[in-house]
Amino acid sequence: MTFTITSEVSDAHPPPSPCTELTSADAAARQVGAGCLRDGPVGRVGLEIEAHCFDLTDPTRRPGWDELTATIAGLPPLPGGSRVTVEPGGAVELSGPPLAGPLAAIDAMVGDRIVLCAAFAGAGFGLVSLGADPLRPPQRVNPGARYRAMEAFFAASGTPAAGAAMMTSTASVQVNLDAGPRDGWADRVRLAHALGPTMIAITANSPLLSGENPGWQSARQRVWSHLDSARCGPVLGENGEDPASDWARYAMKAPVMLVNHADADAEPVPDWVPFADWAEGRVALGGRRPTAADLDYHLTTLFPPVRPRQWLEIRYLDSVPDTIWPAVAFTLVTLLDDPTATELAAEATEPVATAWDQAAHIGLADPRLQESAQRCVRAAAERAPAELAESMQRLVRSVEQGRCPADDFRDRAARHGIAPAVTQLARGEL
């Protein structure tokens, strides 16, 4: 999702040219901090939904790049204006534009998913909303140079299995929100993080990964936890009072993943080189110091659960079924944008604000997480419009029963087998 951004930099201090060489880590940190959040009102919402693509006749086969791109090329116009992309492992993503409020964003995404799923079904494929591929081993099908380089980076840096699974076997629902007024940034970013464990427990939907049962409700989150925390861990500093400075420090400490070259593909950096060391000239990656463009690219290789990109990208939700993702999206937006619900959410999540692994491991079986989840979804349900009543009722009922989507898929797979269960979902069978 791309917001239209009004520059926060005055004419007297214009942003650096992409080719401008950075002279120090401090200069790089100032560039990061100055551009990470945009001062303004809240209200706009953008949604991104990923789904695994399966062959309806052979769910163990991963559709190839040419098949996927041909199907996308034949799509009719999408009524909600979403952009369609293919993830490294062939998952298909819809990225919606920022719209005024959660209902508009949800309506647009529902319409686009109907068109997308129908087109893929016509081509013999089904799109399955699970947080992790329960059946197939990791395999990259997107030939993009960036993904080849990322694959090489993870292999060289000691996390080949987790890196491959993250790139090719996971899928999510992402919610993008305005950063809000500057004087509220600290509280807003803290709450976006504090909601993480509760929302992970609510949406955990990846009990199986590549035919194996890792014993987690969200194998997707488990995969992310095996990657280095300097790149994938939460951004929050010691007290979260200055999100811009926290993000700048995070970016400077994070190791450089890839170096771009003018006449060649991106080059992976297998050694641990914090961006600060490159900017200070301690290491000359690619035989040179970094530019402003290198710094911007570095930021795209950082994957924290809440990422500031002038707006807030909330990245910790598993992909969940069409029956409940509208309620999930509405709940998260409401808890962050509605002032009264925000106060309730801050209080409800405080006891479990750092229980990331517990939420991914056992989900709502943890009594504290279930209590937090019940309070949060009830607050959202009280504010939900009639159009979302059915989806909200399903979500509230599941939370009250202490069940997350992973429980439903695990039950289906136990009854029918993993491959038949996947095929049923690919065919749209509830």
Side-chain angles (χ1 to χ4, degrees):
M1 182 183 72
T2 303
F3 280 122
T4 301
I5 301 299
T6 301
S7 175
E8 297 292 331
V9 183
S10 70
D11 292 339
H13 300 282
S17 162
C19 297
T20 301
E21 188 176 89
L22 298 171
T23 57
S24 69
D26 283 345
R30 286 195 298 272
Q31 179 180 327
V32 173
C36 72
L37 295 173
R38 179 180 184 271
D39 186 19
V42 302
R44 291 181 301 172
V45 178
L47 300 175
E48 301 180 20
I49 296 185
E50 298 170 342
H52 303 283
C53 184
F54 288 92
D55 185 326
L56 293 175
T57 61
D58 181 5
T60 65
R61 184 182 81 85
R62 197 177 285 267
W65 176 250
D66 290 343
E67 296 172 280
L68 295 168
T69 53
T71 304
I72 292 170
L75 284 172
L78 298 182
S82 292
R83 183 167 57 95
V84 185
T85 53
V86 178
E87 294 298 298
V92 179
E93 179 181 57
L94 281 176
S95 300
L99 298 174
L103 188 58
I106 290 167
D107 284 346
M109 183 58 68
V110 167
D112 287 351
R113 276 190 54 78
I114 289 171
V115 174
L116 183 76
C117 291
F120 270 75
F125 304 128
L127 299 178
V128 176
S129 297
L130 286 165
D133 188 328
L135 188 60
R136 302 169 299 192
Q139 180 187 354
R140 180 174 58 84
V141 300
N142 187 324
R146 172 182 168 92
Y147 299 127
R148 289 200 307 273
M150 287 178 66
E151 191 174 60
F153 168 84
F154 287 122
S157 59
T159 55
M166 179 274 284
M167 291 176 61
T168 70
S169 299
T170 63
S172 69
V173 172
Q174 182 172 301
V175 179
N176 302 297
L177 301 174
D178 286 310
R182 184 184 301 271
D183 61 5
W185 285 352
D187 288 341
R188 187 165 174 77
V189 172
R190 273 196 295 259
L191 181 57
H193 284 83
L195 279 164
T198 296
M199 295 303 300
I200 287 170
I202 291 171
T203 62
N205 191 32
S206 44
L208 305 175
L209 174 64
S210 303
E212 297 182 356
N213 180 1
W216 288 52
Q217 295 286 63
S218 177
R220 174 181 172 271
Q221 287 293 329
R222 183 172 183 263
V223 165
W224 281 100
S225 72
H226 286 175
L227 299 171
D228 68 83
S229 61
R231 182 182 310 282
C232 303
V235 173
L236 278 183
E238 192 169 315
N239 56 26
E241 291 295 336
D242 186 354
S245 294
D246 288 345
W247 179 231
R249 282 191 293 269
Y250 186 100
M252 292 304 101
K253 291 179 180 179
V256 180
M257 175 185 275
L258 307 173
V259 175
N260 279 315
H261 299 286
D263 56 353
D265 291 341
E267 174 188 359
V269 181
D271 298 323
W272 187 280
V273 180
F275 193 91
D277 286 1
W278 191 18
E280 288 288 337
R282 299 187 189 101
V283 180
L285 298 178
R288 58 180 176 82
R289 292 179 81 126
T291 64
D294 289 315
L295 178 55
D296 288 341
Y297 190 77
H298 173 62
L299 298 180
T300 72
T301 68
L302 307 182
F303 310 111
V306 179
R307 183 165 67 175
R309 293 190 61 191
Q310 302 203 356
W311 61 93
L312 296 181
E313 278 186 353
I314 300 177
R315 306 166 50 86
Y316 44 62
L317 306 174
D318 275 11
S319 187
V320 293
D322 286 334
T323 53
I324 63 166
W325 74 252
V328 167
F330 183 84
T331 296
L332 186 54
V333 174
T334 299
L335 296 176
L336 283 164
D337 281 6
D338 180 283
T340 304
T342 292
E343 292 182 12
L344 183 149
E347 179 185 338
T349 59
E350 194 276 333
V352 292
T354 60
W356 296 87
D357 283 350
Q358 183 77 344
H361 191 189
I362 66 172
L364 295 176
D366 182 300
R368 297 187 308 157
L369 284 163
Q370 187 187 13
E371 180 181 356
S372 174
Q374 286 177 322
R375 296 181 65 186
C376 287
V377 298
R378 286 171 184 163
E382 290 171 359
R383 293 160 173 80
E387 295 92 329
L388 296 180
E390 183 177 351
S391 185
M392 284 300 315
Q393 288 168 6
R394 283 178 178 269
L395 185 63
V396 170
R397 184 166 58 249
S398 293
V399 169
E400 289 178 343
Q401 293 172 348
R403 291 178 64 86
C404 56
D407 295 308
D408 296 333
F409 181 74
R410 185 181 285 108
D411 290 350
R412 184 189 290 260
R415 287 195 305 270
H416 304 287
I418 300 175
V422 167
T423 299
Q424 290 170 11
L425 293 180
R427 294 184 182 277
E429 298 175 17
L430 297 179

